[in-house]
Amino acid sequence: MAENRSALVVVNSEVLPDIVLKVLAAKRMKARGEVSTSTEACRAVGISRSAYYKYKDSVFNYEERLTNNIVSVYCILRDEKGVLSSIISKLYELNANILTINQNIPVDSVATVTVSVRFDRGSLNTSVLTEELAKVGGVVDVKIISGE
């Protein structure tokens, strides 16, 4: 049986060589802006630049939470100052991580807004989310269009 050398696999980090974990840490530091260059990231985690460049395009953190618990909410809002800001504030209070916001130009004094958010597992259900957003002043309607 031929081996597929380019297949993606999920491996428990406990069995990975230390160099792979350090490359992942360096990539994360660079992505988060904790360091500005690859050289700084390599120095911070204690690896050579050659090791970093050898593995950087081949190793990735598998973040199950990136694909789970994402909800898209469709809202109809009155065309009034501060309504979208209030929605954002409410999502903050509900511990949502806002991924995208798409607001359309108002028609007939209302605007449609689609917001995609991510919640920690088990922290909130969609019916509570809908109820809480519907209570915000200036919200005409709220619907969950994708997610849980």
Side-chain angles (χ1 to χ4, degrees):
M1 184 162 120
E3 185 177 322
N4 184 352
R5 306 269 315 152
S6 66
L8 297 176
V9 296
V10 176
V11 179
N12 187 319
S13 63
E14 293 176 1
V15 301
L16 289 174
D18 196 41
I19 188 67
V20 172
L21 299 174
K22 288 183 177 186
V23 169
L24 289 169
K27 287 177 61 172
R28 186 172 37 254
M29 290 176 74
K30 194 167 180 231
R32 291 182 175 185
E34 296 169 6
V35 295
S36 57
T37 66
S38 300
T39 301
E40 289 177 59
C42 292
R43 193 174 302 127
V45 298
I47 60 173
S48 68
R49 286 179 47 234
S50 62
Y52 174 80
Y53 285 107
K54 179 178 181 178
Y55 295 109
K56 80 171 184 73
D57 293 328
S58 299
V59 297
F60 307 93
N61 275 316
Y62 175 76
E63 300 283 349
E64 185 177 340
R65 65 187 169 88
L66 293 179
T67 56
N68 290 338
N69 305 313
I70 296 176
V71 177
S72 293
V73 183
Y74 175 82
C75 302
I76 300 174
L77 309 178
R78 286 192 199 117
D79 183 21
E80 298 171 358
K81 182 172 59 172
V83 177
L84 180 57
S85 179
S86 296
I87 290 287
I88 293 168
S89 295
K90 179 55 74 176
L91 290 169
Y92 174 79
E93 289 173 23
L94 296 170
N95 293 313
N97 180 16
I98 297 173
L99 304 173
T100 64
I101 299 174
N102 183 9
Q103 180 179 13
N104 294 313
I105 294 173
V107 175
D108 296 332
S109 299
V110 295
T112 59
V113 176
T114 305
V115 183
S116 295
V117 297
R118 182 175 50 230
F119 293 96
D120 290 334
R121 184 173 300 241
S123 67
L124 189 69
N125 66 47
T126 53
S127 61
V128 172
L129 173 63
T130 304
E131 289 170 17
E132 290 296 316
L133 292 178
K135 292 177 188 175
V136 173
V139 173
V140 176
D141 193 18
V142 178
K143 292 181 177 134
I144 302 298
I145 57 173
S146 70
E148 295 184 335

